[in-house]
Each structure stands twice: as C-alpha cells, then as structure tokens.
Amino acid sequence: MINIPKIRLQTHRLVGSEFTNPADVVSWMGAVQAQQPNMAKVAVALRTKNGTLAKVEQELDKGSILRIHILRPTWHFIVPEDIRWMLDLSHDYMRRICEGYAKQIGRSFTSQIEGKCFDAISRALQGECSLTRQEISNELEQAGLPFDNQFVTLLMSFAEIEGLVCSGRMQGNTHTYMLLDERVSNRNDKSHEESLMLLARKYFKSHSPAMLDDFTWWSGLSKTEAKRAIEMICGELWQENIADRTYYVHDSFDDHINRNTSMTLLPAYDEYLISYKYRQDVLREEHHPKAFTNFGIFYPVILSKGKVVGNWQKKGKKTECKFFEESPDINERTLKKVISEMERI
C-alpha cells in the first residue's frame, strides 16, 4: 500500500525541491491559493531553495507571478504563461459563481453597466498603471458610475474573469490591478482539450496521490470534464485502490529523493490541505476543526512526516506550537530547527 503523506511531501516539493526561483514553484503547483497573500508567499518560499518572502515579492512586482481569481474561483498565484488558457478553461464556471453571488446580494450586472465600468477601468489603467481598488472606485465615481465597496469588489472579480485585469505592482501592503494585456503579452493558443490535459498534468504532478473528487474540487471543473482530463493523461498515471477510493499518482514521482525533513510548519491555506476534498489521509477526522472550519477558514498547521499533528502561530517575535497528536519525531531540537527555518523566511 502506498504511503500517501510520504509521496505528497515530495510532489508538493516540501522536501527535495530543486526550485531556486519562486515563479518555478508556482508553475509546478499549477495555482497556489492566495486569498491571504502573506500566507501564500510563505507557501511558495517554503518550496523554494533558500526561499524568502522578499524573493517572492520581487517576482510578484516583476509580474513573474500574478495574483488573480481563477479556478474555484478564489484568489490564486499563477504564472503569466498559464493565465490565459486557465482563464479560458474556468471562465464559464467562475462567471456563473459570481453572477449567482451578485444575484444573492441583490446586485445587477447588466452588460451595459459592465461595459461602461470596464471602459472606465481600461482608461484609468492604460499605460501600465497600477491602481488599488480604492483608486479604481474613485475613477468610477468621477465617471458617474457605481462605486460602493460591495459593487467594486464584484466588478473587479468580473474584470479578472473576463481577462481585463490582473495583479499589478504592490503599493506597500495593498493589492493593485493592471491591465492583463499590458502585464501579459502572450495569447491563448491552446484548444479546450489541450487545456484540460495540461491542467490535469499539472495537478497530478504536484498533488499526487489524489482522487477524481480532489481534482474536481481543486479545478472547479465538472466531474465529467475532470474525468475526461484524467483519461487524457492516463498513460502518465498509475492507480492505487485503498478501501473504496481510487488514487492516481503521476509517473514523474521519484521515490529516491532524500526525505530528511520529518517536521514542517505550513502556513494557513496551504495547498497541502486545501487542494483536496478528502483530507483524512493526512489529518484524522476528529482533528479537522483544528485545521479548518466549515466556513472555509484554514489555520497554520504542523506536519510530522506528512501528517498534520498540531497548530502554530506567531505571537510577536515568538512562534508558539500546540500539538493535538503525538509523534515520535516531535522533539525540542527538531522543533527549534523548523521554527528557525520559518523565521528565516
């Protein structure tokens, strides 16, 4: 029987990572959930040799890593060469989700209103400008268009979905927007089928072992399309059946990579947990509320040999750890080492 935590540590590049550039980590992962950008930066830095938040931030400012609503949809880090085909692949699903939310809160996004707002945004951002959401609200107000916070939040999600904007250069700790066409020069030259195949390949290379339901959850694809995508790369996958569950492992998995890291501190919303629908392989069900809530809030966790055994948090300059599961690898020396590594980032 396969050791799922052991394999995932390697496929997630939490051990044995060969990446020296944070953008290469994001490309490998396909997309890194990033609604809490500082946590996402830590997630990328952990998977980069000698990675630091500063190095990740440099790549974000350069545009080598972008932050945008995509897939489920929620905020993700993604690389420029993947953004066009991935947006096209997930467009219809994301559009339905956002339209449903707009209707739920009683907001109307007619094509006429959307078109006028998009025109105003395009004019404001032209010339590689980076503007915050508040600055865009000001531009909408001057143009006589809706500009309250709830409306603009939804509007910018629609602007991302339609490929108008993506992340720009940070203003301090504040997210900004730039025109996608000025930030990313390439166009999508991939067919729908090619995009499906590429998304499945990226996911199973970086998230194996995983099931169909995991891939469906992560990608936002329908179960039918997710299954078809897996079938397209079936020659690259091998299967393992455990109880009534079928796992797929990409054949790029290298069982000979050195795994000398027995303990790891993971940031909140790390892909190691959030990118799977079924999480009991690395986290006992009775401990789920300690790692995430039913409302989709995920906490920082401690891994011991790939299994979640506790939580950690930063209090001032001190990192505090609380264990809810015993492990023979938990000792003061190892704990000091992983805390030191996290503080170095």
Side-chain angles (χ1 to χ4, degrees):
M1 185 181 296
I2 58 173
N3 185 325
I4 292 174
K6 181 180 178 183
I7 298 174
R8 283 187 185 164
L9 283 173
Q10 190 258 302
T11 57
H12 276 259
R13 293 305 189 258
L14 288 168
V15 295
S17 179
E18 71 276 24
F19 299 121
T20 57
N21 188 320
D24 292 335
V25 170
V26 175
S27 178
W28 170 259
M29 299 301 295
V32 175
Q33 185 150 333
Q35 80 262 39
Q36 285 194 7
N38 285 337
M39 291 290 101
K41 291 172 194 174
V42 171
V44 174
L46 276 174
R47 293 163 166 85
T48 309
K49 282 185 177 180
N50 300 315
T52 63
L53 293 179
K55 289 179 181 179
V56 179
E57 287 164 356
Q58 287 171 9
E59 297 304 308
L60 282 161
D61 271 349
K62 282 166 50 181
S64 301
I65 299 172
L66 302 172
R67 183 172 176 251
I68 193 170
H69 282 86
I70 209 160
L71 299 178
R72 288 186 286 282
T74 187
W75 287 107
H76 281 90
F77 285 159
I78 191 169
V79 292
E81 54 266 32
D82 290 340
I83 198 167
R84 301 276 191 187
W85 65 263
M86 209 176 280
L87 274 175
D88 286 351
L89 191 61
S90 54
H91 172 275
D92 293 351
Y93 175 73
M94 291 195 296
R95 183 86 200 189
R96 285 196 305 272
I97 294 293
C98 285
E99 285 176 346
Y101 179 68
K103 186 176 181 181
Q104 182 182 339
I105 62 174
R107 304 311 297 252
S108 175
F109 276 82
T110 65
S111 57
Q112 185 178 24
I113 291 175
E114 190 175 292
K116 287 181 178 179
C117 289
F118 283 6
D119 286 344
I121 292 169
S122 295
R123 289 193 298 271
L125 294 177
Q126 209 162 31
E128 299 189 2
C129 288
S130 291
L131 296 182
T132 65
R133 189 174 64 185
Q134 182 58 54
E135 289 170 333
I136 289 172
S137 296
N138 296 340
E139 295 290 334
L140 294 173
E141 181 182 13
Q142 290 176 18
L145 295 164
F147 64 91
D148 68 84
N149 185 61
Q150 192 177 58
F151 178 88
V152 176
T153 297
L154 272 169
L155 175 66
M156 298 314 295
S157 293
F158 280 114
E160 290 176 315
I161 290 167
E162 296 302 328
L164 178 65
V165 300
C166 64
S167 59
R169 294 176 288 273
M170 293 289 289
Q171 288 190 18
N173 292 320
T174 305
H175 177 87
T176 72
Y177 297 90
M178 285 181 68
L179 291 175
L180 180 62
D181 284 347
E182 293 186 346
R183 194 72 151 153
V184 180
S185 58
N186 67 294
R187 293 290 171 188
N188 180 21
D189 59 355
K190 294 174 177 60
S191 68
H192 184 77
E193 300 296 304
E194 289 171 328
S195 297
L196 276 177
M197 183 170 64
L198 184 53
L199 191 68
R201 181 176 292 126
K202 278 182 172 285
Y203 179 77
F204 285 100
K205 274 189 170 184
S206 58
H207 293 75
S208 291
M211 294 183 284
L212 169 62
D213 283 350
D214 298 323
F215 178 50
T216 304
W217 150 250
W218 178 85
S219 66
L221 296 171
S222 68
K223 197 161 188 176
T224 299
E225 285 222 301
K227 187 175 181 181
R228 201 170 84 206
I230 290 173
E231 289 170 351
M232 288 177 186
I233 63 165
C234 63
E236 304 171 27
L237 304 173
W238 47 276
Q239 295 182 29
E240 183 83 13
N241 295 316
I242 302 175
D244 59 346
R245 303 185 299 277
T246 299
Y247 292 87
Y248 299 94
V249 182
H250 197 272
D251 60 16
S252 61
F253 166 66
D254 183 0
D255 197 32
H256 296 95
I257 287 180
N258 180 28
R259 295 179 181 81
N260 56 7
T261 302
S262 59
M263 191 177 294
T264 310
L265 302 186
L266 292 185
Y269 298 95
D270 194 272
E271 287 285 305
Y272 192 82
L273 264 189
I274 205 166
S275 59
Y276 303 92
K277 186 174 182 180
Y278 182 83
R279 301 179 177 118
Q280 283 92 308
D281 292 311
V282 299
L283 174 65
R284 285 167 57 181
E285 191 168 6
E286 62 265 34
H287 297 318
H288 281 194
K290 298 166 188 171
F292 57 87
T293 72
N294 292 333
F295 302 103
I297 297 171
F298 281 68
Y299 306 121
V301 296
I302 305 168
L303 296 185
S304 179
K305 289 194 173 178
K307 291 201 171 184
V308 179
V309 296
N311 299 109
W312 67 275
Q313 61 177 325
K314 199 77 180 287
K315 286 193 174 181
K317 293 184 177 181
K318 188 177 179 182
T319 301
E320 294 186 355
C321 298
K322 183 178 181 181
F323 295 94
F324 47 74
E325 188 164 312
E326 293 183 2
S327 171
D329 299 295
I330 298 172
N331 57 68
E332 189 174 345
R333 181 180 177 184
T334 303
L335 197 55
K336 282 183 178 179
K337 182 179 178 182
V338 294
I339 288 175
S340 176
E341 171 64 15
M342 181 58 70
E343 291 174 345
R344 178 194 65 78
I345 289 173

